[in-house]
Amino acid sequence: EVQLLESGGGLVQPGGSLRLSCAASGFTFSSYAMSWVRQAPGKGLEWVSGISTSGGSTYYADSVKGRFTISRDNSNKWLFLQMNSLRAEDTAVYYCAKGAGSSSSNCFDCWGQGTLVTVSS
Amino acid sequence: DIQMTQSPSSVSASVGDRVTITCRASQVISDWLGWYQQKPGKAPKLLIYPASTLQSGVPSRFSGGGFGTDFTLTISSLQPEDFATYYCQQANSFPLTFGGGTKVEIK
């Protein structure tokens, strides 16, 4: 069974940092592009960042470029999102999402349960 | 960036009704379009991708169509478990973008 399990969310002050992790299982992790997608309370879905199968290419939404860094560990089947200089508008549930194919640009056929990030003083 | 415009933003319908949701892209995206269903407190579920291909395990009452800039998601006979919010997403180019969502409510 394909599974994604996020961790690392929590309450952080504006300007602070958090590192989200996503443990993958049940599929050949290194064969799929991965992304982070977030959803602010009561709002729609927003793609945040994506990474190619090898990790050699990364992509970001303008709203997080320069503050967030996506990475992956294919040996141990982990996806990460390092979030710096956090702002109140980054408050959201963050989902780890598996690409529906190897292409970096893709839809997502498996999602984690989400981890809540709250940025507040 | 490619803007995705969904309509309507909400629809009230009864069990057994046929419901159609539309999604328009601000530029041509071929058939690189997916549809998701999301229920409260849950992660989204991919229903259709690319534009007209039903994902494994998704009931056949769901169908998708369109190419280029205009797309549709149709539920042929609404069931109680279909009351949810539906999103489209373009996968043509980065940044990946979602439509604003369509909430399907019980009439």
Side-chain angles (χ1 to χ4, degrees), chain B residues 62-86:
Chain B
F62 290 92
S63 63
F67 189 90
T69 60
D70 294 316
F71 303 87
T72 58
L73 171 69
T74 298
I75 310 171
S76 60
S77 177
L78 202 62
Q79 297 303 300
E81 60 267 30
D82 301 336
F83 291 96
T85 300
Y86 294 84

Tab-separated table of all heavy atoms in Angstrom, chain B residues 62-86:
chain	number	residue	atom	x	y	z
B	62	PHE	N	-18.342	9.235	-12.607
B	62	PHE	CA	-17.487	10.403	-12.807
B	62	PHE	C	-16.888	10.346	-14.218
B	62	PHE	O	-16.430	9.290	-14.653
B	62	PHE	CB	-16.339	10.441	-11.791
B	62	PHE	CG	-16.775	10.729	-10.382
B	62	PHE	CD1	-17.073	9.693	-9.518
B	62	PHE	CD2	-16.874	12.031	-9.922
B	62	PHE	CE1	-17.478	9.936	-8.220
B	62	PHE	CE2	-17.275	12.296	-8.627
B	62	PHE	CZ	-17.579	11.251	-7.768
B	63	SER	N	-16.889	11.474	-14.896
B	63	SER	CA	-16.237	11.536	-16.194
B	63	SER	C	-15.657	12.926	-16.406
B	63	SER	O	-16.134	13.910	-15.842
B	63	SER	CB	-17.213	11.200	-17.332
B	63	SER	OG	-18.251	12.145	-17.390
B	64	GLY	N	-14.594	12.972	-17.204
B	64	GLY	CA	-13.961	14.242	-17.500
B	64	GLY	C	-13.819	14.435	-18.988
B	64	GLY	O	-13.742	13.467	-19.746
B	65	GLY	N	-13.786	15.690	-19.414
B	65	GLY	CA	-13.632	15.984	-20.828
B	65	GLY	C	-12.953	17.301	-21.039
B	65	GLY	O	-12.706	18.057	-20.086
B	66	GLY	N	-12.629	17.543	-22.287
B	66	GLY	CA	-12.019	18.819	-22.641
B	66	GLY	C	-10.594	18.681	-23.115
B	66	GLY	O	-9.935	17.654	-22.898
B	67	PHE	N	-10.115	19.752	-23.745
B	67	PHE	CA	-8.746	19.793	-24.257
B	67	PHE	C	-8.413	21.246	-24.551
B	67	PHE	O	-9.277	22.006	-24.978
B	67	PHE	CB	-8.634	18.958	-25.540
B	67	PHE	CG	-7.223	18.769	-26.023
B	67	PHE	CD1	-6.470	17.684	-25.606
B	67	PHE	CD2	-6.637	19.683	-26.897
B	67	PHE	CE1	-5.162	17.503	-26.046
B	67	PHE	CE2	-5.330	19.515	-27.338
B	67	PHE	CZ	-4.595	18.420	-26.914
B	68	GLY	N	-7.167	21.603	-24.306
B	68	GLY	CA	-6.753	22.973	-24.618
B	68	GLY	C	-6.920	23.900	-23.424
B	68	GLY	O	-6.027	23.981	-22.578
B	69	THR	N	-8.054	24.574	-23.348
B	69	THR	CA	-8.287	25.501	-22.244
B	69	THR	C	-9.575	25.229	-21.465
B	69	THR	O	-9.720	25.734	-20.354
B	69	THR	CB	-8.350	26.955	-22.739
B	69	THR	OG1	-9.418	27.089	-23.670
B	69	THR	CG2	-7.032	27.387	-23.376
B	70	ASP	N	-10.490	24.479	-22.027
B	70	ASP	CA	-11.798	24.287	-21.388
B	70	ASP	C	-12.049	22.818	-21.054
B	70	ASP	O	-11.942	21.959	-21.936
B	70	ASP	CB	-12.911	24.814	-22.288
B	70	ASP	CG	-12.845	26.325	-22.456
B	70	ASP	OD1	-12.641	27.009	-21.446
B	70	ASP	OD2	-12.982	26.805	-23.587
B	71	PHE	N	-12.412	22.587	-19.786
B	71	PHE	CA	-12.542	21.230	-19.267
B	71	PHE	C	-13.811	21.093	-18.425
B	71	PHE	O	-14.304	22.082	-17.883
B	71	PHE	CB	-11.323	20.873	-18.416
B	71	PHE	CG	-10.029	21.000	-19.163
B	71	PHE	CD1	-9.353	22.212	-19.215
B	71	PHE	CD2	-9.492	19.910	-19.841
B	71	PHE	CE1	-8.170	22.347	-19.929
B	71	PHE	CE2	-8.318	20.029	-20.550
B	71	PHE	CZ	-7.659	21.248	-20.597
B	72	THR	N	-14.296	19.869	-18.330
B	72	THR	CA	-15.473	19.600	-17.515
B	72	THR	C	-15.287	18.347	-16.679
B	72	THR	O	-14.586	17.410	-17.085
B	72	THR	CB	-16.731	19.403	-18.375
B	72	THR	OG1	-16.509	18.320	-19.285
B	72	THR	CG2	-17.096	20.663	-19.134
B	73	LEU	N	-15.897	18.356	-15.498
B	73	LEU	CA	-16.063	17.175	-14.660
B	73	LEU	C	-17.564	16.968	-14.522
B	73	LEU	O	-18.281	17.893	-14.127
B	73	LEU	CB	-15.432	17.379	-13.280
B	73	LEU	CG	-15.739	16.277	-12.250
B	73	LEU	CD1	-15.042	14.979	-12.632
B	73	LEU	CD2	-15.319	16.716	-10.850
B	74	THR	N	-18.033	15.771	-14.862
B	74	THR	CA	-19.454	15.455	-14.761
B	74	THR	C	-19.660	14.275	-13.831
B	74	THR	O	-18.931	13.277	-13.905
B	74	THR	CB	-20.037	15.134	-16.152
B	74	THR	OG1	-19.917	16.285	-16.993
B	74	THR	CG2	-21.506	14.752	-16.049
B	75	ILE	N	-20.632	14.440	-12.950
B	75	ILE	CA	-21.105	13.328	-12.119
B	75	ILE	C	-22.481	12.987	-12.665
B	75	ILE	O	-23.402	13.808	-12.596
B	75	ILE	CB	-21.177	13.710	-10.629
B	75	ILE	CG1	-19.857	14.344	-10.175
B	75	ILE	CG2	-21.499	12.481	-9.778
B	75	ILE	CD1	-19.911	14.946	-8.785
B	76	SER	N	-22.635	11.798	-13.214
B	76	SER	CA	-23.844	11.487	-13.978
B	76	SER	C	-25.075	11.297	-13.089
B	76	SER	O	-26.192	11.651	-13.485
B	76	SER	CB	-23.632	10.232	-14.827
B	76	SER	OG	-23.324	9.122	-13.997
B	77	SER	N	-24.871	10.740	-11.909
B	77	SER	CA	-25.980	10.508	-10.980
B	77	SER	C	-25.419	10.651	-9.573
B	77	SER	O	-24.810	9.714	-9.040
B	77	SER	CB	-26.585	9.121	-11.191
B	77	SER	OG	-27.619	8.878	-10.251
B	78	LEU	N	-25.644	11.799	-8.977
B	78	LEU	CA	-25.017	12.155	-7.704
B	78	LEU	C	-25.413	11.182	-6.595
B	78	LEU	O	-26.604	10.861	-6.418
B	78	LEU	CB	-25.430	13.579	-7.336
B	78	LEU	CG	-24.556	14.363	-6.377
B	78	LEU	CD1	-23.156	14.575	-6.952
B	78	LEU	CD2	-25.213	15.700	-6.066
B	79	GLN	N	-24.407	10.706	-5.876
B	79	GLN	CA	-24.632	9.808	-4.748
B	79	GLN	C	-24.311	10.537	-3.440
B	79	GLN	O	-23.592	11.529	-3.436
B	79	GLN	CB	-23.754	8.560	-4.889
B	79	GLN	CG	-24.079	7.735	-6.120
B	79	GLN	CD	-25.540	7.289	-6.148
B	79	GLN	OE1	-25.994	6.575	-5.231
B	79	GLN	NE2	-26.271	7.697	-7.164
B	80	PRO	N	-24.849	10.041	-2.311
B	80	PRO	CA	-24.620	10.735	-1.026
B	80	PRO	C	-23.147	10.953	-0.713
B	80	PRO	O	-22.785	11.985	-0.143
B	80	PRO	CB	-25.267	9.781	-0.014
B	80	PRO	CG	-26.318	9.059	-0.780
B	80	PRO	CD	-25.755	8.895	-2.169
B	81	GLU	N	-22.298	10.005	-1.104
B	81	GLU	CA	-20.856	10.127	-0.803
B	81	GLU	C	-20.137	11.124	-1.708
B	81	GLU	O	-18.948	11.386	-1.525
B	81	GLU	CB	-20.184	8.755	-0.886
B	81	GLU	CG	-20.275	8.073	-2.226
B	81	GLU	CD	-21.475	7.139	-2.353
B	81	GLU	OE1	-22.510	7.409	-1.710
B	81	GLU	OE2	-21.366	6.144	-3.098
B	82	ASP	N	-20.847	11.674	-2.693
B	82	ASP	CA	-20.215	12.615	-3.630
B	82	ASP	C	-20.280	14.062	-3.156
B	82	ASP	O	-19.690	14.947	-3.795
B	82	ASP	CB	-20.877	12.516	-5.012
B	82	ASP	CG	-20.791	11.130	-5.612
B	82	ASP	OD1	-19.865	10.377	-5.219
B	82	ASP	OD2	-21.634	10.796	-6.455
B	83	PHE	N	-20.994	14.322	-2.062
B	83	PHE	CA	-21.068	15.683	-1.566
B	83	PHE	C	-19.702	16.035	-0.961
B	83	PHE	O	-19.259	15.431	0.019
B	83	PHE	CB	-22.213	15.844	-0.573
B	83	PHE	CG	-23.547	15.720	-1.258
B	83	PHE	CD1	-24.221	14.512	-1.279
B	83	PHE	CD2	-24.113	16.806	-1.912
B	83	PHE	CE1	-25.445	14.383	-1.931
B	83	PHE	CE2	-25.328	16.691	-2.570
B	83	PHE	CZ	-26.000	15.477	-2.577
B	84	ALA	N	-19.038	16.987	-1.597
B	84	ALA	CA	-17.641	17.293	-1.296
B	84	ALA	C	-17.256	18.546	-2.074
B	84	ALA	O	-18.086	19.136	-2.772
B	84	ALA	CB	-16.747	16.122	-1.715
B	85	THR	N	-15.997	18.930	-1.967
B	85	THR	CA	-15.454	20.031	-2.760
B	85	THR	C	-14.547	19.445	-3.834
B	85	THR	O	-13.759	18.532	-3.558
B	85	THR	CB	-14.681	21.025	-1.884
B	85	THR	OG1	-15.582	21.550	-0.892
B	85	THR	CG2	-14.137	22.177	-2.722
B	86	TYR	N	-14.660	19.974	-5.035
B	86	TYR	CA	-13.906	19.466	-6.184
B	86	TYR	C	-12.973	20.560	-6.699
B	86	TYR	O	-13.347	21.728	-6.781
B	86	TYR	CB	-14.872	19.012	-7.292
B	86	TYR	CG	-15.683	17.814	-6.862
B	86	TYR	CD1	-16.851	17.978	-6.112
B	86	TYR	CD2	-15.272	16.528	-7.156
B	86	TYR	CE1	-17.588	16.881	-5.678
B	86	TYR	CE2	-15.995	15.417	-6.736
B	86	TYR	CZ	-17.153	15.610	-5.993
B	86	TYR	OH	-17.869	14.520	-5.556
